[in-house]
Amino acid sequence: MLTAQSGTGTVLPSMHRSWSFVVLCLLGCSVPVASPGPDGVFDPKPNHDFDAPSGEVRVLGLRSETVCFTTDGSEPREEGGACAAGEPLPEAGVISLTCGERTESEALLGIKLAFSWNGQHDLKLSGNYVLDCTPPPADADGDGVPDAQDNCPVTANADQLDTNGNGIGDACENHGEPDADCDGRPDTADNCVDVWNVDQADDDRDGVGNVCDDTPRGPPALPYMNGTLAKGLPGWLDANRCSLNGCGDPSGPGSWSGDCPNGGRVSWNVSLDGLRVISAMTYTACSRDVTVPVHDYAVDPQQLDPAATVMTTFTIVADGTLTQDINFSGTGQETGSLTLGGAFTGSANSNVVITSRQRAPGSRFSIACTAGPVSGERCAPNNAAVSYVFPDWACAPGACPALPAPLVDGDGDGVFDPYDNCPTTPNADQADLDFDGLGDACDDTPGTCTGVPDGGLPPIADAGVEPDAGVSPDAGAPWALLKLKLGRCLHTNDSGGVSSTGSCDGAEENQRWEVLEQQEGKRRFRNQGTATCLTAVNWAGTIGMGDCSTGASLWQTQRYDQGGFDSNYPMRLRADAYNYCLYSDGTGLVYATQGNCGLAGTQNNRKVGIYPDGDFAQQPLQP
């Protein structure tokens, strides 16, 4: 039982309630400006994906205040205008993020701030950012061609010569060497010895090819148990306050303290500061149980059923202070931080918005943890603080790992559909005697090698040979439509640039693109109507049409699975000259912005399918 030690009246226990004082506010009342939130302080905003091994974040609006920061997961602390923990913000206001020893393709790094604001000290903010820390591509034979693009990864062949056009370099064409799956790739150079796979695709880079890998994209992403802690903490706080004097509101300033149920103490101090009410709740090794729903991994190990939960009780122990600063109408905010122990080891920063004496939608807790009790979940790496949003306590966009779409093997042959060369006809061996990408089991002309893959795409040009920009395209040459998942096709426009249209029509010459293949997964797209190539014009993101012989007309055709892989729109077009990807909106504009390749929520505007002959009933070119 918590007992009042000073002050009068009842106390407010519930975190979602504020304090109501009957006060006559004359004309001229004002409300202090609240400290800014993460979106107003960090540029770019939290959860930005730099899609690079480093990035810079600028801190805005706090330059006249004392600001301390950390990027290693530790807690910064500001005291009396100086940094007691962490580093002072550089004069330029820029914080640099780098991968260090990280190797993940989507490495989550956190920035934590402690700062002063309008006379308040040690206020806290945090933001998470994503870097691409993927190591440089492997090149086992040292010929300068990454293994993933090397047509002979075990024998040096920088020229990548492939005389018969079957996707296997002359340097390691089967010359009597053992070849169990008869795919022309010798067993010594084959990452699926018993299953036909000329392309040697290996999405998770584990040395086992996609077609014979039970988990071709690696193990499923585990949810962060930071979220479980975020859901449990409000109830824990509410329960502690509710044990104070029957959940009543205070009628004036005062101080109260008492014992917590499982040990430790809690103290509460309410004071007036002009037209504001300042209420500080301090926990000292305060221990209490809380019960929350947790995903039932025993019943649903693949996390396919969100309703599969089990109520679980945890003990949370907290040290620290949360302070509410509100006006007499019950509007303001709560800030402060707690160090957490018990079942979880971690910390919590509050950025709760209070409106009409209640938590307002958009209120956030930033939760970091290093250990916890939930089997099947993990703490966010590097002790990163992840923001969770009231009222659902959902993870802030881009901060938590997205669960991948389940892979399906529709024909039951042991090869998942995105990697199956006959996804509706069982063919466990994936045999493809004519090397056309279509398995013999569903190919009307198996064993016939024409030198041109099914679908009419042109054969791969000799490595390093540039297309002749001075020769007009042949109207009878193989062509394709470039369609974005947004539902629009690329075309040249009257001003000599490039646009998109919702009316995809292969009869329109300005929508026809010849796909000119180059080395290392790069392609040029030459328009039959203008004899010019799709071009990244400048670093600012302008995309247009230009000379096919320049480096600006080279595009990396990359597998793109953000938001789930879609074999109908499997690629993104990334400018080889700049760090951005082609993008189109609903108005027909085609452009890019720096670093937009991984921008969450707009991926359908970048996902592209390259459809030979404009036939949308067939699978497009796969990466």
Short mmCIF file of all heavy atoms in Angstrom, two decimals, residues 41 43 56-64 67 69 88-96:
data_model
loop_
_atom_site.label_atom_id
_atom_site.label_comp_id
_atom_site.label_asym_id
_atom_site.label_seq_id
_atom_site.Cartn_x
_atom_site.Cartn_y
_atom_site.Cartn_z
N VAL A 41 13.26 16.92 -35.37
CA VAL A 41 14.65 17.12 -34.96
C VAL A 41 15.63 16.45 -35.92
O VAL A 41 16.65 17.02 -36.28
CB VAL A 41 14.87 16.57 -33.53
CG1 VAL A 41 16.36 16.48 -33.19
CG2 VAL A 41 14.16 17.46 -32.52
N ASP A 43 17.01 14.93 -39.46
CA ASP A 43 16.92 15.05 -40.91
C ASP A 43 18.03 14.19 -41.54
O ASP A 43 19.20 14.50 -41.36
CB ASP A 43 17.09 16.50 -41.34
CG ASP A 43 17.03 16.67 -42.86
OD1 ASP A 43 16.37 15.84 -43.52
OD2 ASP A 43 17.66 17.60 -43.38
N GLU A 56 24.58 10.29 -42.95
CA GLU A 56 24.69 11.45 -42.08
C GLU A 56 23.30 11.94 -41.69
O GLU A 56 22.40 12.03 -42.54
CB GLU A 56 25.46 12.58 -42.76
CG GLU A 56 26.94 12.26 -42.96
CD GLU A 56 27.71 13.47 -43.48
OE1 GLU A 56 27.07 14.41 -44.01
OE2 GLU A 56 28.95 13.48 -43.35
N VAL A 57 23.12 12.21 -40.41
CA VAL A 57 21.85 12.71 -39.88
C VAL A 57 22.10 14.09 -39.27
O VAL A 57 22.99 14.25 -38.43
CB VAL A 57 21.29 11.76 -38.81
CG1 VAL A 57 19.99 12.32 -38.24
CG2 VAL A 57 21.07 10.36 -39.38
N ARG A 58 21.32 15.06 -39.71
CA ARG A 58 21.46 16.42 -39.20
C ARG A 58 20.43 16.67 -38.10
O ARG A 58 19.28 16.28 -38.24
CB ARG A 58 21.27 17.43 -40.33
CG ARG A 58 21.57 18.88 -39.95
CD ARG A 58 21.47 19.78 -41.16
NE ARG A 58 22.41 19.40 -42.19
CZ ARG A 58 23.68 19.79 -42.22
NH1 ARG A 58 24.14 20.58 -41.26
NH2 ARG A 58 24.47 19.41 -43.19
N VAL A 59 20.87 17.29 -37.01
CA VAL A 59 19.99 17.62 -35.90
C VAL A 59 19.53 19.07 -36.07
O VAL A 59 20.34 19.99 -36.16
CB VAL A 59 20.71 17.44 -34.54
CG1 VAL A 59 19.82 17.90 -33.40
CG2 VAL A 59 21.08 15.96 -34.36
N LEU A 60 18.21 19.26 -36.12
CA LEU A 60 17.62 20.58 -36.39
C LEU A 60 16.92 21.11 -35.14
O LEU A 60 16.44 20.35 -34.32
CB LEU A 60 16.61 20.49 -37.53
CG LEU A 60 17.08 19.82 -38.83
CD1 LEU A 60 15.89 19.67 -39.78
CD2 LEU A 60 18.19 20.62 -39.48
N GLY A 61 16.84 22.42 -35.02
CA GLY A 61 15.99 23.04 -34.01
C GLY A 61 16.52 23.02 -32.60
O GLY A 61 15.90 23.58 -31.70
N LEU A 62 17.66 22.36 -32.35
CA LEU A 62 18.21 22.28 -30.99
C LEU A 62 19.59 22.92 -30.89
O LEU A 62 20.26 22.79 -29.88
CB LEU A 62 18.31 20.81 -30.54
CG LEU A 62 17.02 20.00 -30.53
CD1 LEU A 62 17.32 18.57 -30.09
CD2 LEU A 62 16.00 20.61 -29.60
N ARG A 63 20.01 23.59 -31.95
CA ARG A 63 21.40 24.06 -32.02
C ARG A 63 21.74 25.07 -30.94
O ARG A 63 22.89 25.19 -30.51
CB ARG A 63 21.67 24.66 -33.41
CG ARG A 63 21.47 23.68 -34.54
CD ARG A 63 22.58 22.64 -34.58
NE ARG A 63 23.84 23.27 -34.93
CZ ARG A 63 24.20 23.60 -36.17
NH1 ARG A 63 23.35 23.36 -37.16
NH2 ARG A 63 25.35 24.16 -36.42
N SER A 64 20.74 25.81 -30.45
CA SER A 64 21.01 26.80 -29.39
C SER A 64 20.99 26.17 -28.01
O SER A 64 21.27 26.84 -27.02
CB SER A 64 19.98 27.93 -29.47
OG SER A 64 18.68 27.43 -29.25
N VAL A 67 23.17 19.71 -26.47
CA VAL A 67 22.74 18.44 -27.02
C VAL A 67 23.87 17.43 -26.88
O VAL A 67 25.00 17.69 -27.28
CB VAL A 67 22.34 18.56 -28.51
CG1 VAL A 67 21.86 17.22 -29.05
CG2 VAL A 67 21.26 19.62 -28.70
N PHE A 69 24.83 13.17 -27.55
CA PHE A 69 24.33 12.05 -28.34
C PHE A 69 25.20 10.82 -28.19
O PHE A 69 26.38 10.89 -27.80
CB PHE A 69 24.26 12.44 -29.82
CG PHE A 69 25.59 12.42 -30.54
CD1 PHE A 69 26.00 11.30 -31.25
CD2 PHE A 69 26.43 13.53 -30.49
CE1 PHE A 69 27.22 11.28 -31.90
CE2 PHE A 69 27.66 13.52 -31.14
CZ PHE A 69 28.05 12.39 -31.86
N PRO A 88 29.12 15.65 -27.12
CA PRO A 88 28.38 16.86 -27.50
C PRO A 88 28.16 16.90 -29.01
O PRO A 88 29.00 16.43 -29.78
CB PRO A 88 29.31 18.00 -27.04
CG PRO A 88 30.67 17.39 -26.97
CD PRO A 88 30.48 15.96 -26.61
N LEU A 89 27.02 17.45 -29.41
CA LEU A 89 26.71 17.55 -30.83
C LEU A 89 27.77 18.40 -31.53
O LEU A 89 28.10 19.49 -31.06
CB LEU A 89 25.33 18.18 -31.00
CG LEU A 89 24.81 18.28 -32.44
CD1 LEU A 89 24.49 16.89 -32.99
CD2 LEU A 89 23.57 19.17 -32.49
N PRO A 90 28.34 17.91 -32.66
CA PRO A 90 29.33 18.72 -33.39
C PRO A 90 28.75 20.06 -33.80
O PRO A 90 27.53 20.23 -33.94
CB PRO A 90 29.66 17.85 -34.61
CG PRO A 90 29.31 16.46 -34.20
CD PRO A 90 28.13 16.59 -33.28
N GLU A 91 29.62 21.01 -34.01
CA GLU A 91 29.19 22.37 -34.35
C GLU A 91 28.32 22.40 -35.59
O GLU A 91 27.37 23.17 -35.70
CB GLU A 91 30.42 23.27 -34.54
CG GLU A 91 30.07 24.73 -34.78
CD GLU A 91 31.30 25.61 -34.85
OE1 GLU A 91 32.40 25.14 -34.46
OE2 GLU A 91 31.17 26.77 -35.28
N ALA A 92 28.63 21.53 -36.56
CA ALA A 92 27.85 21.49 -37.79
C ALA A 92 26.49 20.83 -37.60
O ALA A 92 25.65 20.86 -38.50
CB ALA A 92 28.63 20.76 -38.88
N GLY A 93 26.27 20.20 -36.44
CA GLY A 93 24.99 19.57 -36.17
C GLY A 93 24.77 18.26 -36.90
O GLY A 93 23.64 17.81 -37.03
N VAL A 94 25.85 17.61 -37.35
CA VAL A 94 25.73 16.40 -38.15
C VAL A 94 26.31 15.22 -37.38
O VAL A 94 27.40 15.28 -36.84
CB VAL A 94 26.46 16.55 -39.50
CG1 VAL A 94 26.44 15.23 -40.28
CG2 VAL A 94 25.81 17.64 -40.33
N ILE A 95 25.54 14.11 -37.33
CA ILE A 95 25.97 12.87 -36.70
C ILE A 95 26.20 11.84 -37.80
O ILE A 95 25.32 11.60 -38.63
CB ILE A 95 24.93 12.36 -35.70
CG1 ILE A 95 24.73 13.39 -34.58
CG2 ILE A 95 25.34 11.02 -35.12
CD1 ILE A 95 23.59 13.04 -33.64
N SER A 96 27.38 11.23 -37.83
CA SER A 96 27.72 10.25 -38.86
C SER A 96 27.45 8.84 -38.35
O SER A 96 27.78 8.51 -37.20
CB SER A 96 29.19 10.38 -39.27
OG SER A 96 29.44 11.64 -39.84
#
